[in-house]
C-alpha cells in the first residue's frame, strides 16, 4: 500500500497536480532532498517543492516548511523517514502577509486534492513564524501542529527592531515587509495583526506547539516573540513544549538531534526496529530496552518473569534495564503504555555480536567459495539468528535503523544474501558455545573508517577534523550521497543500535583508508574507543581482520603494507585481537572469495578474547631482526605455538640496500626463528616481509594461522 501511494503521489505531483488544463503550471523532478525524491513546480509565480517519502505513513501526512528551504534540514529528514512528505512554497518576500496567506490557501488546496492529509504540520524558522502562525489563525482546523524555531511573531520586533533586537526601520528588509503588508512605517509599528496579537485565539484552538529558541537571540528576541506565544499556550492549557537553548543566539536553528521535536508530533509508543520476533538478547548482563512515546506515559516491559516500569520523559524517550538472564529460548516480551503494545515472540537469550566494516564484511554468502555446500548446511543452525541493517547514511543522528528484513533464523532459504563472514563466525560460536547466537550485519562497501564515527568525536583532533571538513569540500552534494557521508553510517546504522546488549564486535575494513594509511594510527583506535564509550558496556571484545593481500598498484602497495602494520600495532588496545589472512587473499581481487576461514579465525579470536578459552587464534608475528656478523638476518617470531612452517620459500622477503630493493637468496626456519641470507655485496639497511607487490606468502604457525607483513631497520 505504501509503495502504491508513492506511485500515485508521484503521478499526482507530475500529472494530476500540474497536468490538468485548469492548472497553468508544470511539475518536474528536481533531484533529491535529504535523500528522497523532490519535485518542483510554480504557483502564482512562486517556486514550490514537494518531497515524497519512500514509505508514506497512514493518512498521507505532510510537513509544510514555511521558509529557508534546505537550511538545517534534520527535522525534515526524520519526518521523511517517518513517512511524512515535505512541502514548500517560496513566499519569502511576503512576510506572512494576508496576500501570502491567500497564496498558501491555494497551495494547501492543491496538496489536499492530491491526496495528502487535510491536517498539516507547519514548520517555521525565523520569519517563517509569521507565515505559520498567520496561516494557522485563518485555518486552525487544518493544522495538526506547529514547530516554530526562533520565530518572528511581531514585525515591530523584527524587521523593525523596535525592541531589543538588531532590526531597523531604516533597513531594506523593513521596507520590503511594509510593501508586502501595504503599510506605512508607523502603521507597521502599530500593526495589530501579528502572531503575538493572535496568540490567545491560536492557543484556544488547541493547536499543538513546540518552540525551539535561543535564550540569547539578538535578532528575534525571545521575550518579544516566542515568550508571548509560550504564555498564551500555557494559560490555555494547550499542548505545548519549549526547548530553550541556553546561551544561543538566532543561529543555529533546529537541534543536532531533532528527535524531541519529532516525538512531540508523533505521540505514540515506539520501539527501535532491532527489537522483534526471533531476536537474541545478550545473556548474563543487563538488558536495555528503550523507545519513545507520549510524554508522561507509563511504559511497562515484561520479560522472563520480570516487569519493569518507567515513564516517558519530556523529550519523548523512555528506557528500562532488565536484570540479566541466562541463555535460553522461547521467551516472549511485552511492551505496553496503557494504549498501545508490542509483543515479541520466540525471543532467545545468548550471545550477540556486531559485524561491521566495508565490502569484505558485507560480501554475501552467495558470492563465496563453496556456496552451495554452506547454504545447504545452514538448516543445521536454527539457533543462529541473523539481522541485517539497511545500508544508508544520514547527516544527523537517527534514533532507529531502517530494516527490510528483521530477525531470521539461519536456514538454506535465508543465508544467501547475508554477510558470509558474519554467518561463518556465528555458526562457529553457536557450535562451540551451545547457546543461541545473534549476529547483526552493519556494513557498507567502500566506507571509510570515519563513516563509522560521530561528528562530535571527529572534531576532537586535528587528523579527523581535517578529514571531516575536507570531505564536505570534495563532495559539495554530500547530503545526497547517503552512503558516503563522513559520520553518516554511524548516525544512521550504528548509533541507533546503541545500547542494545552485545558481547562484542568484529570488523573488516581498511581498504578505503589505504591512501591515508598513517592517519589510521589515530582514526582506528579513536573509533574503537568511541564505540565502547557510546555503547556503555565497557571494553567489549573488538576483533578485526588485517586487510588481505591485493595489488593496489605500484604507488599504493607501500601504503597498504603500512596500514597492515598499523593494524597489527593496534592490538595493544585492551581487549582487541587481529586475525591475519595473508595466506588466503587474492592478488587480483580485493574481495577474496574464501570468507569461511576469515569467519573461523575471528571465531577463534572470540573464544580466546571473549570467552577466556585457551585456544590459539593469532598468526605468527615478528619480534626483532638481527643482522649477524656472518651475513645472515635472523628474525625472531612469536605466536608460533608448536613451530613455524614456511611454504613459499623466499617469496615475500626483501632487503633494502643503498635505497634499492633486493630479494634474499634463501629463507629457512629454525624453531621460532627465520634465517635469511643475501648477496654478500649488499649492506642491508632494512628487511621486509610481504610488503610491496603481492606475492605468494605462506608463513604459518602450527595452528595454521598466517603471518602478516613486517619491517625492521638496521
Amino acid at each position: 500500500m505504501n509503495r502504491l501511494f508513492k506511485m500515485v503521489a508521484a503521478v499526482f505531483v507530475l500529472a494530476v497536480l500540474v497536468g490538468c488544463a485548469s492548472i497553468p503550471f508544470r511539475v518536474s523532478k528536481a533531484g533529491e532532498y535529504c535523500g528522497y525524491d523532490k519535485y518542483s513546480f510554480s504557483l502564482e509565480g512562486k517556486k514550490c517543492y514537494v518531497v515524497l517519502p519512500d514509505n508514506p505513513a497512514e493518512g498521507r501526512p505532510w510537513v509544510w516548511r514555511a521558509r529557508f528551504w534546505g537550511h538545517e534540514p534534520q527535522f525534515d529528514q526524520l519526518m521523511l523517514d517517518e513517512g511524512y512528505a515535505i512541502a514548500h512554497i517560496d513566499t519569502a518576500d511576503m512576510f506572512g502577509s494576508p496576500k501570502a496567506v491567500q497564496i498558501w490557501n491555494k497551495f494547501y488546496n492543491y496538496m489536499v486534492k492530491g491526496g495528502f492529509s487535510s491536517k498539516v504540520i507547519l514548520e517555521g524558522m525565523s520569519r517563517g513564524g509569521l507565515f505559520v502562525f498567520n496561516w494557522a489563525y485563518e485555518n486552525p482546523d487544518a493544522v495538526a501542529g506547529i514547530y516554530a524555531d526562533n520565530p518572528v511573531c511581531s514585525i515591530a520586533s523584527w524587521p523593525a527592531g523596535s525592541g531589543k533586537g538588531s532590526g531597523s526601520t531604516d533597513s531594506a528588509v523593513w521596507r520590503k515587509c511594509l510593501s508586502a503588508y501595504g503599510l506605512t512605517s508607523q502603521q507597521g509599528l502599530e500593526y495589530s495583526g501579528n502572531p503575538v496579537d493572535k496568540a490567545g485565539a491560536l492557543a484556544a484552538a488547541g493547536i499543538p506547539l513546540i518552540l525551539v529558541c535561543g535564550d540569547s537571540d539578538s535578532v528575534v528576541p525571545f521575550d518579544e516573540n516566542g515568550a508571548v506565544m509560550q504564555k498564551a499556550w500555557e494559560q490555555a492549557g494547550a499542548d505545548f513544549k519549549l526547548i530553550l537553548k541556553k546561551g544561543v543566539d538566532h543561529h543555529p536553528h533546529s537541534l543536532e538531534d531533532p528527535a524531541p521535536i519529532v516525538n512531540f508530533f508523533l505521540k505514540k509508543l515506539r520501539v527501535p526496529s532491532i527489537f522483534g520476533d526471533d531476536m537474541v538478547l545478550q545473556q548474563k548482563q543487563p538488558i536495555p530496552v528503550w523507545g519513545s512515546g507520549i510524554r508522561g506515559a507509563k511504559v511497562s516491559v515484561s520479560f522472563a518473569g520480570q516487569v519493569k516500569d518507567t515513564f516517558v520523559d519530556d523529550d519523548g524517550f523512555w528506557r528500562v534495564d532488565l536484570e540479566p538472564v541466562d541463555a535460553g529460548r522461547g521467551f516472549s516480551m511485552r511492551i505496553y503504555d496503557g494504549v498501545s503494545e508490542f509483543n515479541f515472540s520466540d525471543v532467545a537469550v545468548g550471545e550477540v555480536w556486531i559485524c561491521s566494516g566495508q565490502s569484505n564484511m558485507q560480501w554475501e554468502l552467495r558470492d563465496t567459495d563453496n556456496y552451495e555446500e554452506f547454504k545447504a548446511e545452514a538448516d543445521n543452525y536454527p539457533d543462529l539468528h541473523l539481522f541485517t541493517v539497511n545500508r544508508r547514511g544520514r547527516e544527523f543522528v537517527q534514533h532507529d535503523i531502517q530494516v527490510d528484513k528483521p530477525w531470521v533464523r539461519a536456514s538454506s532459504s535465508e543465508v544467501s544474501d547475508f554477510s558470509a563472514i558474519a554467518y561463518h563466525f556465528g555458526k562457529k560460536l553457536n557450535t562451540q558455545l551451545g547457546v543461541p547466537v545473534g549476529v547483526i550485519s552493519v556494513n557498507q562497501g567502500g566506507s571509510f573508517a570515519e563513516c563509522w564515527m560521530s561528528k562530535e568525536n571527529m572534531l576532537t583532533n586535528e587528523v579527523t577534523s581535517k578529514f571531516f571538513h575536507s570531505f564536505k569540500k570534495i563532495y559539495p552534494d554530500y547530503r545526497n550521497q547517503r552512503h558516503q557521508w563522513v559520520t553518516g553510517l554511524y548516525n544512521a546504522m550504528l548509533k541507533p543500535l546503541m545500547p542494545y546488549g552485545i558481547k562484542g564486535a568484529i570488523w573488516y575494513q581498511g581498504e578505503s583508508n589505504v591512501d591515508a594509511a598513517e592517519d589510521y594510527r589515530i582514526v582506528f583506535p579513536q573509533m574503537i574507543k568511541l564505540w565502547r564509550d557510546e555503547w556503555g558496556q565497557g571494553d567489549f571484545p573488538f576483533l578485526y581482520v588485517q586487510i588481505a593481500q591485493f595489488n593496489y598498484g605500484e604507488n599504493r602497495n607501500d601504503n597498504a603494507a603500512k596500514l597492515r602494520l598499523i593494524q597489527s600495532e593496534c592490538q595493544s588496545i585492551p581487549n582487541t585481537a587481529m586475525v591475519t589472512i595473508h595466506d588466503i587473499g587474492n592478488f587480483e581481487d580485493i574481495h577474496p572469495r574464501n570468507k569461511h576461514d576469515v569467519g573461523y579465525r575471528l571465531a577463534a579470536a572470540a573464544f580466546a578474547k571473549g570467552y577466556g578459552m585457551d585456544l590459539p587464534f593469532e598468526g605468527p608475528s615478528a619480534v626483532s631482526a638481527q643482522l649477524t656478523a656472518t651475513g645472515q638476518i635472523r628474525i625472531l617470531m612469536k605466536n608460533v605455538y608448536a613451530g613455524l612452517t614456511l611454504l613459499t620459500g623466499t617469496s615475500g622477503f626483501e632487503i633494502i640496500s643503498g635505497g634499492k630493493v633486493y630479494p634474499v637468496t634463501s629463507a629457512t626456519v629454525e624453531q621460532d626463528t627465520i634465517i635469511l641470507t643475501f648477496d654478500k655485496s649488499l649492506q642491508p639497511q632494512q628487511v621486509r616481509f610481504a610488503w610491496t607487490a603481492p606475492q605468494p606468502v605462506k608463513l604459518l604457525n602450527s595452528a595454521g594461522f598466517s603471518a602478516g607483513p613486517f619491517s625492521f631497520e638496521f
Side-chain angles (χ1 to χ4, degrees), residues 341-625:
E341 65 181 308
F342 289 87
N343 289 283
F344 303 127
S345 60
D346 296 319
V347 177
V349 178
E351 297 299 308
V352 181
W353 286 78
I354 296 291
C355 309
S356 189
Q358 58 182 103
S359 53
N360 272 306
M361 182 63 81
Q362 176 183 330
W363 206 257
E364 297 177 354
L365 186 68
R366 70 170 78 248
D367 295 320
T368 63
D369 292 344
N370 307 319
Y371 161 61
E372 293 295 341
E373 172 190 341
F374 292 132
K375 174 186 173 183
E377 74 170 15
D379 292 323
N380 299 324
Y381 299 99
D383 262 354
L384 175 58
H385 301 235
L386 317 175
F387 189 93
T388 301
V389 176
N390 282 17
R391 297 175 184 96
R392 64 170 186 164
R394 285 292 182 265
E395 185 180 2
F396 307 103
V397 170
Q398 310 290 287
H399 284 265
D400 199 7
I401 51 176
Q402 277 192 349
V403 177
D404 290 332
K405 193 174 184 180
W407 285 100
V408 296
R409 298 191 185 203
S411 69
S412 56
S413 62
E414 297 289 354
V415 296
S416 296
D417 59 355
F418 192 69
S419 161
I421 291 175
Y423 167 69
H424 291 301
F425 172 79
K427 76 179 186 185
K428 272 292 186 186
L429 262 59
N430 177 228
T431 300
Q432 181 76 23
L433 302 175
V435 300
V437 172
V439 283
I440 302 172
S441 177
V442 192
N443 37 65
Q444 172 61 58
S447 58
F448 301 97
E450 292 88 344
C451 294
W452 302 96
M453 299 167 67
S454 70
K455 173 184 176 181
E456 293 76 16
N457 186 264
M458 287 193 69
L459 296 179
T460 59
N461 73 69
E462 184 178 351
V463 169
T464 51
S465 180
K466 181 180 179 181
F467 188 94
F468 177 83
H469 292 296
S470 65
F471 186 89
K472 286 193 173 184
K473 292 178 182 177
I474 296 170
Y475 299 100
D477 192 32
Y478 68 94
R479 280 192 172 131
N480 289 324
Q481 298 183 38
R482 286 177 281 177
H483 298 314
Q484 295 295 327
W485 283 340
V486 171
T487 78
L489 303 182
Y490 174 86
N491 291 338
M493 297 177 65
L494 194 70
K495 179 63 174 177
L497 295 175
M498 302 172 184
Y500 194 82
I502 62 170
K503 180 66 175 182
I506 60 173
W507 173 261
Y508 189 162
Q509 190 277 339
E511 297 91 343
S512 288
N513 287 78
V514 160
D515 290 327
E518 192 60 37
D519 289 348
Y520 209 70
R521 193 185 307 277
I522 294 173
V523 172
F524 191 39
Q526 184 173 325
M527 189 203 79
I528 294 172
K529 184 178 187 303
L530 170 69
W531 285 28
R532 288 171 167 174
D533 289 348
E534 291 296 302
W535 230 292
Q537 296 178 18
D539 288 348
F540 55 75
F542 194 100
L543 319 174
Y544 58 97
V545 182
Q546 188 180 63
I547 60 172
Q549 283 206 91
F550 171 68
N551 190 359
Y552 287 89
E554 183 176 352
N555 296 326
R556 301 180 71 214
N557 283 327
D558 190 65
N559 273 352
K562 289 177 182 177
L563 188 135
R564 294 186 190 100
L565 198 61
I566 290 168
Q567 287 180 314
S568 181
E569 293 169 358
C570 286
Q571 292 178 96
S572 63
I573 301 170
N575 213 19
T576 62
M578 182 188 76
V579 300
T580 54
I581 56 171
H582 243 55
D583 56 321
I584 55 175
N586 185 327
F587 309 157
E588 304 305 323
D589 191 343
I590 203 168
H591 303 116
R593 296 307 197 265
N594 179 350
K595 295 292 191 257
H596 52 279
D597 280 325
V598 183
Y600 299 160
R601 292 178 187 184
L602 284 166
F607 296 143
K609 287 288 186 177
Y611 302 102
M613 300 181 186
D614 187 16
L615 296 173
F617 71 93
E618 296 175 289
S621 60
V623 176
S624 63

Side-chain angles (χ1 to χ4, degrees), residues 199-207 232 236 238:
L202 284 164
I207 299 172

Side-chain angles (χ1 to χ4, degrees), residues 6 9-15 18 26-42 47-54 69 480 482:
K6 186 174 181 183
V11 170
F12 149 65
V13 174
L14 291 171
V18 297
R26 286 174 37 182
V27 163
S28 61
K29 178 79 179 294
E32 291 187 341
Y33 179 73
C34 295
Y36 292 89
D37 292 339
K38 178 178 72 174
Y39 300 87
S40 67
F41 57 94
S42 293
K47 192 75 170 179
C48 304
Y49 296 116
V50 176
V51 184
L52 300 179
D54 291 339
W69 179 258
N480 289 324
R482 286 177 281 177

